[in-house]
Amino acid sequence: MREGEDAIPDLLSELQARGFKRSYHQGSAEYLELTGAFRTSEGPVQCRLEIDRTFRQPPRIFLTPVPDKLLPVAPHLGPNGQLCYAAKGTYVFDIYDPVRQTLALISRAEQVLDSLMKGEMREDLAEEFFAYWGECSCFMDVEGEETKPLQVYSCDYKSIKAKAFFLTDNVERTSKKLTVLGGEFEQLNACVFLISSQSNPRPSLESWPPQNLGQLLKWQRALDHRVPSKILKKIRSVSKRNVEACMLVISSPGFKYGFMVAMPTKQDRKFLRKRSMGNQHLYPLKILQVAIIRVDDKYLTERNLPAAPNLARLKITIIGCGTIGGYLAELAVKAGAGTIGGHLELIDPDRLGPNNLGRHRLGFGDLHQYKASALVSEIKRVMPSANISALSCDARDIELADPDLIIDATGDESLGYWIAGNYHRNKPILSVWIEGGGVAVRSLLNYSGSGACYRCLCDYNRDYAFRSVKEEIDDVFVGHGCEELYVPFPATVSLQAACLGMEAAMDWAGPNRLPTLRTKVISPEFTSGSDDCCPVKRKGCPACCN
């Protein structure tokens, strides 16, 4: 294998054959610099190559100068003329053949440049814009159609030593998120405007980044000629008002980005008008680049589930906040439970004991606390605005608050019978449990009055039907004296049970509702006893046939 400097002579020879020359002045010891030209259908384009001498990074390529045809903005070009030609993850740099790999990447760069010169790829890689934009972040917590008045807060995070803004249409909801983040928050005396654009942004290759409103308007005019007039109209509408700043959020086809304009004082406004006419007195106003980052509940829920069903807007009750229910509750919230008008209810009468700590979602700081209420507090750190409530009581002592889905995560067979008998007629019931000492995990979804209920399945199992494994499962307990007995298994089993249950819940929320009985065998010493299927109601079941 040729490594580092050993491969440089061979690479130089190949590049010289392509018309590149080693630069007389080498800017850095880490890079080998060469100058030459890329061949395109529009003619040669001068460029500078910077080759990583260790071959750990792909070649850096700069156009010197940027052709007039690509000004003032162009995709895949940074403001300093650097050409972006290969996204990370789209290539594997072969350390055993660095010369051939480097030449292949340079050829790819030449192809990309040729496409740019022909006017192609105009909408490619709009996301690269945030590599060049954003002096600070603005977290946008806005739901609905963004028609409500928006308020902006200045946020000083002590924990991460950073300053940012929060944009919201619901102060009560957003304040829950701000409280979890910590730090100091202050509402700004600022107006907020949303402006639509039909063009995704790209950095200007003439003057970047824009320092004042005049430079920003010139840049926006090159992207979408209708946007500058919209910006000026909004700023003029507040120029005579007593506001300190004006935040404008540009909604492009791909994403949102924004900037803050520092509005002049009353004395400055008079001075500026005397010096200039029309809108020109606004051009010197300083701007602050703002990267808009969505943190609304809809985005947080759907970001990892695009166009897929989720648990938002639904009323869900989880009975049992133990080793399964703790993880299941968190997964449910991350899938949208308790958000956008939904509600998640957690029910468990027990407190967290030391024997729970090795496999529970809660930790040492929650010892002797009621599991349900402690879990609500913990999950609200994950999703502060989620609508979650806790009942620290036995589910048999209350009337459930009309949920869309009941999840039994207790693993208590007797309680499972009771839930099936009382709610099977009009509520879907999802049961999730662990068999033996972590031998297998199972879930059963019983739709309102149809299919086998949890009691049906237990009776089937006693008759050796629909069993999780073929082998017999021995009861294994740990404990001595008056200590409570419990079944030993690691937290990984609890997590797998929760995941299996969540997959079934997500399928219930969407069009895919089969199979209703699912099994995952955990222990390698056991073999699967039945395939995933849809058991029918057992004739004469005392829970669901009365």
Side-chain angles (χ1 to χ4, degrees):
M1 179 179 69
R2 303 293 299 280
E3 296 185 1
E5 293 291 344
D6 292 340
I8 292 296
D10 292 343
L11 180 60
L12 269 174
S13 178
E14 292 285 349
L15 290 174
Q16 286 171 353
R18 297 189 182 194
F20 285 90
K21 297 180 180 180
R22 182 169 182 161
S23 300
Y24 181 76
H25 293 290
Q26 295 290 311
S28 169
E30 299 176 0
Y31 291 91
L32 171 66
E33 295 188 12
L34 301 97
T35 57
F38 278 160
R39 294 163 294 180
T40 75
S41 56
E42 304 294 319
V45 176
Q46 296 298 314
C47 63
R48 181 179 79 253
L49 307 182
E50 295 184 359
I51 310 294
D52 180 6
R53 292 181 180 273
T54 64
F55 294 103
R56 295 179 181 178
Q57 302 293 332
R60 299 194 303 194
I61 298 173
F62 300 85
L63 306 187
T64 55
V66 175
D68 291 341
K69 190 169 185 177
L70 301 182
L71 294 173
V73 293
H76 300 284
L77 279 180
N80 58 356
Q82 184 172 0
L83 178 67
C84 173
Y85 58 90
K88 188 175 182 180
T90 61
Y91 63 90
V92 176
F93 201 97
D94 188 353
I95 61 173
Y96 293 97
D97 194 358
V99 174
R100 186 178 65 85
Q101 183 70 74
T102 299
L103 294 174
L105 288 170
I106 292 174
S107 296
R108 167 61 181 164
E110 192 171 54
Q111 295 170 8
V112 169
L113 180 60
D114 182 62
S115 296
L116 296 182
M117 294 296 289
K118 290 189 290 188
E120 301 171 352
M121 308 175 75
R122 297 293 298 177
E123 301 303 322
D124 275 13
L125 251 65
E127 290 81 2
E128 73 182 8
F129 173 70
F130 281 130
Y132 310 107
W133 183 264
E135 297 174 74
C136 66
S137 300
C138 178
F139 298 101
M140 190 168 182
D141 185 23
V142 177
E143 290 186 353
E145 298 299 322
E146 301 172 357
T147 56
K148 298 179 181 178
L150 301 182
Q151 299 180 43
V152 60
Y153 286 78
S154 173
C155 314
D156 189 4
Y157 300 120
K158 295 179 181 179
S159 58
I160 59 176
K161 297 181 180 180
K163 190 169 185 176
F165 299 105
F166 246 95
L167 198 58
T168 180
D169 62 347
N170 186 311
V171 176
E172 181 181 359
R173 182 190 65 240
T174 303
S175 64
K176 297 175 182 178
K177 299 177 181 179
L178 297 179
T179 301
V180 170
L181 289 173
E184 298 178 357
F185 310 97
E186 180 182 3
Q187 184 174 357
L188 294 182
N189 179 20
C191 291
V192 182
F193 298 106
L194 302 178
I195 294 177
S196 62
S197 172
Q198 295 186 358
S199 176
N200 280 319
R202 295 176 294 276
S204 171
L205 301 176
E206 292 182 331
S207 177
W208 192 263
Q211 301 295 321
N212 56 44
L213 184 60
Q215 293 176 1
L216 184 134
L217 293 173
K218 181 179 180 182
W219 166 57
Q220 283 291 319
R221 193 170 292 110
L223 296 172
D224 185 338
H225 66 89
R226 291 164 294 189
V227 169
S229 60
K230 296 179 183 178
I231 294 175
L232 284 170
K233 181 178 179 181
K234 297 298 184 183
I235 294 178
R236 280 200 308 268
S237 69
V238 298
S239 61
K240 296 181 181 181
R241 293 166 55 183
N242 185 28
V243 294
E244 298 177 358
C246 182
M247 176 177 283
L248 293 104
V249 178
I250 310 297
S251 180
S252 71
F255 52 89
K256 293 179 174 66
Y257 61 101
F259 59 94
M260 186 85 79
V261 180
M263 300 302 294
T265 64
K266 186 176 181 179
Q267 291 181 343
D268 289 340
R269 289 199 298 268
K270 292 180 178 179
F271 176 73
L272 290 170
R273 285 196 184 94
K274 290 179 180 180
R275 296 190 59 187
S276 56
M277 300 294 292
N279 295 317
Q280 294 183 0
H281 70 282
L282 299 174
Y283 291 175
L285 296 179
K286 299 296 183 182
I287 68 166
L288 177 70
Q289 306 163 36
V290 178
I292 302 296
I293 303 170
R294 288 182 61 185
V295 292
D296 56 279
D297 294 348
K298 186 176 188 296
Y299 172 78
L300 297 179
T301 297
E302 298 179 356
R303 172 64 177 84
N304 294 320
L305 300 167
N310 56 62
L311 303 183
R313 303 178 179 86
L314 300 172
K315 296 179 181 179
I316 298 174
T317 294
I318 297 179
I319 302 174
C321 298
T323 183
I324 300 175
Y327 294 111
L328 188 54
E330 181 177 11
L331 291 174
V333 168
K334 289 186 175 180
T339 66
I340 318 179
H343 179 231
L344 175 63
E345 183 177 52
L346 307 181
I347 303 175
D348 194 305
D350 296 333
R351 296 175 184 267
L352 185 74
N355 60 318
N356 302 135
L357 293 179
R359 63 189 187 201
H360 204 282
R361 171 62 181 82
L362 298 173
F364 196 88
D366 301 303
L367 270 179
H368 305 304
Q369 302 296 314
Y370 283 110
K371 293 178 182 178
S373 56
L375 197 56
V376 168
S377 298
E378 183 67 18
I379 293 178
K380 278 187 170 292
R381 295 181 65 253
V382 177
M383 185 70 79
S385 58
N387 182 15
I388 316 174
S389 61
L391 290 175
S392 299
C393 61
D394 193 307
R396 289 167 287 201
D397 295 334
I398 60 172
E399 191 71 27
L400 300 186
D402 195 28
D404 295 307
L405 174 67
I406 299 171
I407 301 179
D408 173 17
T410 63
D412 184 327
E413 189 168 329
S414 178
L415 181 56
Y417 296 167
W418 182 88
I419 295 172
N422 282 270
Y423 293 101
H424 76 278
R425 295 181 185 85
N426 53 13
K427 296 296 176 186
I429 302 171
L430 173 62
S431 302
V432 187
W433 69 98
I434 297 170
E435 299 213 335
V439 170
V441 296
R442 309 195 85 179
S443 71
L444 175 68
L445 183 59
N446 175 231
Y447 292 96
S448 306
S450 65
C453 73
Y454 180 72
R455 174 58 190 261
C456 290
L457 183 67
C458 290
D459 287 341
Y460 275 132
N461 287 173
R462 278 186 276 272
D463 292 337
Y464 291 89
F466 304 112
R467 302 191 75 182
S468 59
V469 294
K470 294 179 179 179
E471 298 81 3
E472 291 292 335
I473 301 177
D474 297 327
D475 292 329
V476 180
F477 297 101
V478 173
H480 59 277
C482 296
E483 181 184 354
E484 179 184 358
L485 299 177
Y486 65 94
V487 181
F489 51 80
T492 53
V493 175
S494 306
L495 281 165
Q496 292 187 73
C499 290
L500 187 70
M502 183 49 52
E503 290 170 2
M506 297 294 282
D507 286 347
W508 164 80
N512 180 22
R513 300 196 170 190
L514 297 175
T516 57
L517 175 63
R518 307 178 187 212
T519 306
K520 181 175 183 180
V521 178
I522 306 298
S523 175
E525 300 174 1
F526 291 80
T527 53
S528 175
S530 62
D531 296 331
D532 292 350
C533 59
C534 296
V536 297
K537 183 183 297 187
R538 185 179 172 89
K539 186 176 181 179
C541 173
C544 65
C545 289
N546 52 20

